[in-house]
Structures are given as C-alpha cells and as structure tokens.
Amino acid sequence: MDRKYVLTGLGYAGLGLVLGIYMASSKDHAQLVTHAHIMLLGFVVSFVYGLIYKLWLGDITSTLAKIQYYSHQIGTAGLTIGLFVLYGHYLPDAQIDPILGVSSIIVFISLVLMKVMYIKHTKTA
C-alpha cells in the first residue's frame, strides 16, 4: 500500500503542478483553491499515508486497508473535480455543493480508518 500511495501522491503532484503552471501562465488564479486541495489532499496526505504504511503498518493488504485507500482516492477525486467545476463556474453552486459535501465526508472517513488501522497495528506491535 505504501507504494500505491506514493505513486498516487506523485500523480496528484503532477496534476497540481500542471494546474499551477497554467494559472501562472494565464494569470488567471480562479482555480487556486482547487490547486491547493490537489497539492495538499492529493499529494501531501497521500504521501503521508504512504509513509505511515512504510514505517508502521507494513505491507498489509487487509480489506480495511483497501477500503481506506479507495475511500481516500474517491473522496479526493470528488473534491478535486467538484472544486474545479465550482471555481470554473461550470455548474451552479447548488448542484456542486452536495458532491463537495459527500466527498469531504468520504475523505474524513478514510482518515478515521487510517487512525483505526494505526492504533490497532501499533497496539499489537
């Protein structure tokens, strides 16, 4: 799982950098919030989760670990796409807000699952 998280995080870093370069070259910073979420939630949090797996959890591939990984990815993708649509003014706020709300809750659930796995694993180690 550590490798999956690091590779996913680096993918988000590339996406965030491309968006940042676009904003700088176009001098249109409307997607600043989207860029920040891609870099922090997509890159930094994924990278930190990869470190947690590498340093404390090891190579676990339990169902809980898979649920945690995919919930983080689904939530992060939902937030990223939702924020891009919101700040690009492609759809009305009322249509995007539920997607952003659900995606945020999914990301929070993935954080709780990571904490549960960390507590469970370090208690037995």
Side-chain angles (χ1 to χ4, degrees):
M1 288 304 246
D2 57 340
R3 186 173 178 352
K4 272 180 144 176
Y5 263 118
V6 170
L7 287 173
T8 304
L10 291 171
Y12 277 115
L15 180 64
L17 288 171
V18 167
L19 182 56
I21 291 167
Y22 168 78
M23 288 189 308
S25 64
S26 69
K27 299 195 182 357
D28 177 7
H29 294 87
Q31 293 290 347
L32 182 64
V33 174
T34 307
H35 168 74
H37 276 77
I38 292 170
M39 295 306 288
L40 290 173
L41 190 58
F43 172 55
V44 175
V45 173
S46 291
F47 193 81
V48 168
Y49 284 167
L51 286 175
I52 290 170
Y53 272 102
K54 186 72 171 176
L55 297 174
W56 292 285
L57 300 181
D59 192 25
I60 62 171
T61 55
S62 66
T63 302
L64 186 60
K66 290 175 185 174
I67 291 170
Q68 190 279 329
Y69 174 80
Y70 287 110
S71 64
H72 179 72
Q73 301 314 315
I74 290 167
T76 300
L79 275 170
T80 299
I81 293 166
L83 288 170
F84 186 82
V85 170
L86 177 70
Y87 288 102
H89 304 290
Y90 298 113
L91 289 174
D93 294 3
Q95 289 182 338
I96 299 301
D97 286 346
I99 293 168
L100 293 173
V102 169
S103 296
S104 297
I105 291 168
I106 292 170
V107 168
F108 179 72
I109 289 169
S110 75
L111 173 67
V112 170
L113 293 175
M114 177 58 79
K115 186 173 181 177
V116 167
M117 288 188 301
Y118 178 79
I119 291 169
K120 183 179 173 184
H121 188 77
T122 56
K123 191 182 273 188
T124 59

